[in-house]
Amino acid sequence: DTVLTQSPALAVSPGERVTISCRASESVSTLMHWYQQKPGQQPTLLIYLASNLESGVPARFSGSGSGTDFTLTIDPVEADDTATYYCQQSWNDPPTFGGGTKLELK
Amino acid sequence: QVQLKETGPDLVQLTQTLSITCTVSGFSLTTYNVHWVRQPPGKGLEWMGAMWNGGGTDYNSAFKSRLSISRDTSKSQVFLKMNSLQTDDTAKYFCARGTQPEYFDYWGQGVMVTVSS
């Protein structure tokens, strides 16, 4: 299975720029997607196909990357962005998720 | 609007079978795929399997032959059944709509299932 590696946690101040990384154990082309999950809630789609912003998601969120290295950027970060962020690949079967990056605001 | 809702037990006995129903609205099961994803308490997301819009299924090999996914298109329902439950199957179980090339654009609220000994 394709392993996706994310940093466990990040802490930033409101108004700053934050980048969350996801590294795949093998190439996933651009079939990488990002989700936000707040405590007690279901995940919600932020970015699909590496860089496409899902409808209704603020333009503060953006994604980039291809192959094995991907980044989710939030600029500027707001208090409401406190959540865990997951990457997910769909190039290789089975689909797999990263372990999640918990974003905390200072 | 698109909605998915999981219904199922909150408690299942050790070694017994889990059955969860995902009822969808706002889209057709013959147009979109539906996936099952689970999340143990405090942990990450794990893909379990999928019901394809054409009626086929795909399973994560981690669940070997324990898992079965089926559907009733007339009721807009997708079913998950998993047998031989163990304590590490305690998790929140989500169904999600899959949009090609399989990202999950709508999710149900999930159902928390505890496996009790």
Side-chain angles (χ1 to χ4, degrees):
Chain A
D1 295 1
T2 303
V3 176
L4 302 181
T5 301
Q6 298 182 244
S7 298
L10 287 171
V12 299
S13 298
E16 290 185 344
R17 178 177 183 267
V18 64
T19 59
I20 297 171
S21 65
C22 176
R23 174 162 287 178
S25 60
E26 56 188 320
S27 177
V28 299
S29 186
T30 57
L31 299 194
M32 183 66 78
H33 323 294
W34 291 91
Y35 303 86
Q36 178 191 66
Q37 186 179 34
K38 296 182 178 180
Q41 297 184 17
Q42 67 271 46
T44 59
L45 177 68
L46 297 173
I47 300 287
Y48 61 95
L49 297 173
S51 61
N52 294 273
L53 190 68
E54 173 69 350
S55 176
V57 174
R60 304 183 290 105
F61 292 87
S62 63
S64 64
S66 66
T68 60
D69 291 296
F70 298 85
T71 299
L72 172 71
T73 300
I74 311 172
D75 186 15
V77 172
E78 296 183 358
D80 187 53
D81 299 334
T82 297
T84 300
Y85 294 84
Y86 293 94
C87 54
Q88 175 244 326
Q89 67 81 24
S90 60
W91 178 253
N92 299 307
D93 189 48
T96 51
F97 292 90
T101 297
K102 187 173 184 178
L103 181 65
E104 297 181 342
L105 268 65
K106 298 177 186 175
Chain B
Q1 70 276 29
V2 173
Q3 292 185 322
L4 301 93
K5 183 176 176 60
E6 306 89 347
T7 52
D10 51 12
L11 189 67
V12 178
Q13 296 301 310
L14 196 66
T15 75
Q16 296 304 299
T17 297
L18 171 65
S19 295
I20 304 174
T21 297
C22 175
T23 303
V24 310
S25 58
F27 69 96
S28 170
L29 295 180
T30 59
T31 302
Y32 287 90
N33 307 319
V34 171
H35 298 253
W36 290 96
V37 176
R38 74 176 185 178
Q39 184 172 39
K43 295 190 177 180
L45 302 164
E46 181 177 32
W47 181 80
M48 300 181 70
M51 169 58 71
W52 302 123
N53 58 9
T57 54
D58 191 15
Y59 300 107
N60 189 328
S61 62
F63 298 97
K64 297 181 181 178
S65 58
R66 293 203 295 147
L67 181 63
S68 174
I69 298 172
S70 59
R71 72 180 183 180
D72 182 337
T73 56
S74 68
K75 295 182 178 179
S76 294
Q77 293 180 325
V78 179
F79 309 104
L80 176 147
K81 284 194 176 181
M82 189 163 68
N83 57 31
S84 304
L85 256 61
Q86 301 300 311
T87 55
D88 60 2
D89 291 314
T90 292
K92 182 172 275 192
Y93 289 77
F94 298 97
C95 58
R97 190 180 84 164
T99 291
Q100 288 284 359
E102 290 330 279
Y103 54 89
F104 310 128
D105 55 357
Y106 290 90
W107 295 66
Q109 63 193 18
V111 58
M112 181 65 208
V113 177
T114 300
V115 180
S116 171
S117 56

